[in-house]
Amino acid sequence: MTATVSTLPTTASSGRSRRLSGWTRTRRQIAFETSMVFRQRNTLLATLLAPVFVLFFPIVSRPEDATGWTMLMAPMTVLVLVFSVYINGATIVAARRESQLFKRLRTSELTPTQLIVSMMVPLVLLGLVQVGIVVAGVAVLGGPLPADPALVAAAALATALLSVTAGVAVGSVSPNSERVQYSVMPLLLLAAIGSNLVVAPNVDPGLRSYLLFAPFTGAVDLVARAGESVPVLADTPLPVSPIVFDLGITGFWIVALGFLAFVTWRWEPRG
């Protein structure tokens, strides 16, 4: 009798598990992954320090006018996502593959796509929260709020998607979790340098136009165009509107890095 009673909950639970939709399983895994973000010290530290790092610059040297604030806020809004979402994404992918956690998770009811989505959605959401912190921090420091919040929101979402895709791609090609800190550096430096040069007034106009082809610079240009007082910005290198070009080039990099992640992905540790 005891054995019969003990098996009933398992059978019922198994039946309920089979009836769960893919969306329900993914949503539950997203909730679990979100809680794990706050349990991992390195990830949590990078998440908390990224807004502090970018807000350090206006604290030290506050711009004198709205144009100066726009030139400072545009790269800050993008780089806060690069520093947290991109680096954390690459680190998580490399560490989990090396520990064979991905290999174990693959035997669960979640599909491979659902596993990756569940892992990266919390980073995207946290990145968007960080952008909100940066915008609010600029307002507290005396800077203007964006004149076109929709453009900032579009740039933030596009950058978050690009950052998480880049993180998966770089984490996929990194041989192990120790080497990933070096693997992230080329794209990180390119993003930091390009994001600042594309809004710098003393850079050659032709060079600034071609900088828009680089990853993350299109999103910087979008944020700059959303400012209360727009500085002199780069002309688009193609005969389309700046907003269309900025969103299009960001979408191109999302697809390109997504393809790289797809062809280099390994569930087991890389040899």
Side-chain angles (χ1 to χ4, degrees):
M1 180 61 119
T2 303
T4 303
V5 173
S6 64
T7 58
L8 286 176
T10 303
T11 304
S13 175
S14 176
R16 286 194 299 268
S17 177
R18 285 195 297 268
R19 288 195 297 269
L20 291 178
S21 66
W23 160 245
T24 301
R25 291 195 294 266
T26 303
R27 179 171 53 82
R28 291 183 175 183
Q29 185 67 18
I30 288 173
F32 170 76
E33 293 285 357
T34 302
S35 67
M36 289 299 295
V37 168
F38 293 99
R39 295 180 184 178
Q40 298 174 7
R41 184 177 302 175
N42 292 338
T43 303
L44 180 60
L45 189 63
T47 301
L48 295 175
L49 290 183
V52 176
F53 176 76
V54 297
L55 286 172
F56 173 78
F57 297 99
I59 291 174
V60 173
S61 178
R62 297 190 183 187
E64 298 179 353
D65 53 24
T67 300
W69 276 107
T70 299
M71 292 172 58
L72 186 61
M73 183 179 172
M76 283 169 47
T77 304
V78 171
L79 291 178
V80 69
L81 290 162
V82 178
F83 289 143
S84 60
V85 177
Y86 164 57
I87 294 177
N88 282 335
T91 303
I92 289 172
V93 167
R96 290 190 177 186
R97 191 188 63 242
E98 186 179 30
S99 65
Q100 300 193 31
L101 180 59
F102 282 141
K103 193 174 183 179
R104 294 193 295 272
L105 286 173
R106 199 180 184 188
T107 62
S108 69
E109 295 181 342
L110 292 169
T111 66
T113 300
Q114 290 169 343
L115 283 173
I116 297 173
V117 169
S118 301
M119 178 179 60
M120 292 303 169
V121 164
L123 291 179
V124 171
L125 296 178
L126 283 174
L128 296 178
V129 170
Q130 289 178 322
V131 171
I133 293 173
V134 170
V135 173
V138 168
V140 170
L141 293 172
L145 291 173
D148 191 342
L151 272 186
V152 176
L157 180 59
T159 305
L161 294 175
L162 176 54
S163 297
V164 77
T165 306
V168 174
V170 172
S172 297
V173 300
S174 298
N176 52 58
S177 57
E178 293 181 356
R179 294 285 296 277
V180 73
Q181 58 184 321
Y182 303 105
S183 302
V184 299
M185 291 306 296
L187 186 57
L188 178 63
L189 292 175
L190 179 62
I193 295 172
S195 295
N196 284 281
L197 289 180
V198 79
V199 292
N202 56 345
V203 176
D204 179 75
L207 175 60
R208 284 199 295 154
S209 294
Y210 286 105
L211 280 172
L212 291 175
F213 282 114
F216 300 104
T217 54
V220 175
D221 190 64
L222 272 180
V223 178
R225 295 180 186 278
E228 181 180 279
S229 179
V230 179
V232 178
L233 298 174
D235 295 326
T236 56
L238 297 178
V240 294
S241 73
I243 294 175
V244 170
F245 180 86
D246 292 339
L247 291 175
I249 197 64
T250 305
F252 165 80
W253 282 111
I254 291 173
V255 172
L257 289 170
F259 178 75
L260 175 63
F262 176 78
V263 298
T264 59
W265 181 265
R266 297 290 186 275
W267 289 102
E268 70 281 358
R270 188 176 297 278

